[in-house]
Amino acid sequence: MLWLVVGPPLGAAAGFPAPYSPTVTMPTGTPQRYEFDLTAALRRARREHKRLYVYLGADDCPYCRRYEAFLETNAMELAPQFAKDYLVIDLRSSLSVQADRLYFRVGEKALPYADFQRSIGDERARLLVYPSVWLLDPNAKPLMQMPAGTGTFETVPEQLEILRLEQ
């Protein structure tokens, strides 16, 4: 089987800002199936006793750029809070990648987007929205329901509440 790396090249300007020490995860697969493997991130989270802040952004998404600019602007205040409890996993995608072509792997199991959402108890509509964030424990269990899309986490106090798991 031939596996190709798809999406923007590593080091592309789009994505979670560097002060947050994100682990950039590129999809593997074919144009019909983009697969993100979360296995190594979960292993690392267990080893380091941290949570996962999984960010699904698109290289051509204006709302993703807006959120990333907010993070960059507020890195002095927010990055230490992220580093305290979270590993940031930056999943790089594109607006052309729709839910029916997006898969998430945890160990031996790869699930399509909607099934992955159901498997972690995500009760939101099964539509793919960029940007999306999942807060997961080291066993891939969700820590809270997250807002997604435009208007996501637009103030430092809102972002801090999320990091502290305040609802």
Side-chain angles (χ1 to χ4, degrees), residues 44-65:
R44 181 175 164 209
R46 283 190 290 276
R47 200 172 49 248
E48 297 181 18
H49 306 288
K50 296 229 178 176
R51 302 169 181 149
L52 292 183
Y53 192 98
V54 180
Y55 172 73
L56 175 64
D59 59 355
D60 51 351
C61 167
Y63 301 112
C64 300
R65 296 299 78 71

Side-chain angles (χ1 to χ4, degrees), residues 8 11-20 22 24-25 53-76 78-79 82 88-95 129-133 149-156 159:
F16 227 83
Y20 297 84
V24 176
T25 303
Y53 192 98
V54 180
Y55 172 73
L56 175 64
D59 59 355
D60 51 351
C61 167
Y63 301 112
C64 300
R65 296 299 78 71
R66 183 171 154 183
Y67 178 54
E68 293 157 9
F70 161 77
L71 290 170
E72 185 72 42
T73 299
N74 296 288
M76 293 276 295
L78 292 175
F82 272 84
V88 175
I89 308 303
D90 182 359
L91 307 179
R92 303 275 177 102
S93 190
S94 171
L95 290 177
V129 178
Y130 289 99
S132 284
V133 171
T150 182
T152 300
F153 330 132
E154 291 191 342
T155 70
V156 169
Q159 184 69 68

Side-chain angles (χ1 to χ4, degrees), residues 104 109 111-127 134 140-142 145:
F104 295 89
K109 186 189 271 188
L111 296 172
Y113 176 77
D115 291 343
F116 171 75
Q117 281 197 195
R118 276 189 285 279
S119 78
I120 63 169
D122 195 327
E123 298 171 6
R124 293 178 288 188
R126 303 294 179 234
L127 297 175
W134 296 279
K141 301 292 182 221
Q145 290 290 296

Side-chain angles (χ1 to χ4, degrees), residues 28-45:
T28 59
T30 67
Q32 291 74 35
R33 179 179 169 136
Y34 292 74
E35 184 175 297
F36 289 104
D37 192 341
L38 299 175
T39 307
L42 290 164
R43 260 188 262 140
R44 181 175 164 209

